[in-house]
């Protein structure tokens, strides 16, 4: 059941996972490896939950999926920005748990093993059009353009639309990971040169 408070948020998003380039899960296919392991980082430029402002906050979703994406059984955790007040933490918790509606509501049913949320310092930066996220001692994640297989040609800047997943609400730039290293006690993995996507997002509810 959704709450009565209205909410919205918009900003930048970086998705990285263990799949080959490009991740077939985003197009209704199956992961290229199992389990599927992924990180979704979001930088909120503007947003609110009722009267609570969410602008300027970052959060990161990390997940391990045992089989087909929409079969569920996900193990999922969330890192929340250490700069968030208790009121903001509660607002983000309500949204991300699906209690406030929006696309998080149907996706919450896919989570079989929710991990306790953690407040940590999250640095989300833009460098030369690419995104990089760091959580000291916990997460390193970054993107780069895919090298062109044709000698002498510039790196690729492939843009796609209409992915089956609701993470992206604008055109998506297909990338590859420069690094994806998670060293959390509840989940850890490391990949280089695998699927990555960068874009912008705008979500709302209920």
């Amino acid at each position: 059941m959704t709450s009565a408070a209205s909410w919205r948020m918009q900003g930048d998003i970086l998705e990285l996972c263990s799949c080959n380039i490009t991740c077939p899960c985003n197009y209704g296919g199956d992961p290229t490896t199992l389990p599927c392991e992924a990180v979704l980082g979001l930088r909120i430029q503007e947003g609110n939950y009722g009267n609570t402002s969410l602008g300027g906050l970052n959060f990161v979703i990390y997940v391990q999926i045992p089989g087909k994406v929409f079969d569920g059984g996900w193990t999922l955790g969330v890192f929340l920005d250490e700069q968030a007040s208790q009121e903001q933490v509660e607002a983000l918790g309500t949204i991300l748990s699906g209690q406030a509606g929006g696309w998080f509501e149907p996706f919450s049913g896919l989570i079989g093993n929710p991990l306790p949320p953690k407040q940590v310092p999250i640095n989300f930066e833009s460098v030369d059009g690419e995104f990089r996220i760091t959580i000291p001692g916990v997460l390193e994640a970054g993107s780069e353009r895919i090298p062109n297989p044709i000698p002498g040609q510039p790196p690729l800047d492939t843009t796609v639309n209409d992915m089956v997943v609701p993470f992206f609400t604008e055109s998506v730039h297909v990338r590859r990971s420069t690094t994806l290293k998670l060293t959390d006690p509840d989940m850890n993995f490391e990949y280089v040169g695998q699927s990555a996507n960068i874009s912008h997002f705008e979500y709302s509810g209920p």
Side-chain angles (χ1 to χ4, degrees):
M1 181 177 180
T2 60
S3 70
S6 63
W7 63 273
R8 58 177 291 275
M9 61 173 74
Q10 63 180 27
D12 301 310
I13 182 170
L14 169 63
E15 178 208 35
L16 312 98
C17 72
S18 55
C19 283
N20 296 336
I21 305 165
T22 69
C23 173
C25 306
N26 289 323
Y27 307 94
D30 298 336
T32 57
T33 60
L34 290 176
C36 174
E37 296 175 315
V39 163
L40 192 69
L42 298 96
R43 174 171 57 186
I44 306 172
Q45 294 175 340
E46 299 178 11
N48 66 278
Y49 174 78
N51 295 322
T52 301
S53 173
L54 301 175
L57 298 178
N58 304 312
F59 66 92
V60 174
I61 298 171
Y62 57 104
V63 60
Q64 187 177 79
I65 302 172
K68 294 183 178 181
V69 171
F70 294 99
D71 285 350
W74 300 5
T75 297
L76 183 145
V78 179
F79 296 119
L80 300 174
D81 202 320
E82 72 168 1
Q83 300 182 71
S85 67
Q86 185 58 39
E87 185 179 31
Q88 290 172 320
V89 167
E90 291 175 0
L92 285 172
T94 301
I95 292 170
L96 299 178
S97 66
Q99 299 176 65
W103 74 261
F104 294 101
E105 183 174 16
F107 265 67
S108 65
L110 300 174
I111 303 170
N113 180 28
L115 301 174
K118 303 172 184 178
Q119 251 187 296
V120 295
I122 304 173
N123 183 33
F124 191 130
E125 57 185 338
S126 302
V127 180
D128 296 328
E130 300 301 320
F131 294 157
R132 180 174 178 84
I133 303 172
T134 53
I135 299 173
V138 177
L139 176 66
E140 296 178 20
S143 67
E144 67 178 359
R145 293 189 179 189
I146 303 168
N148 197 314
I150 302 175
Q153 296 301 307
L156 302 177
D157 190 11
T158 304
T159 303
V160 298
N161 294 284
D162 299 325
M163 289 185 176
V164 68
V165 296
F167 311 147
F168 311 104
T169 52
E170 294 186 15
S171 296
V172 178
H173 299 284
V174 178
R175 296 294 194 257
R176 73 176 185 180
S177 58
T178 54
T179 180
L180 173 56
K181 184 178 182 180
L182 178 67
T183 54
D184 184 81
D186 293 320
M187 190 183 301
N188 62 84
F189 48 78
E190 183 172 2
Y191 301 97
V192 176
Q194 298 301 96
S195 179
N197 294 293
I198 63 175
S199 187
H200 301 285
F201 70 88
E202 184 169 359
Y203 309 146
S204 63

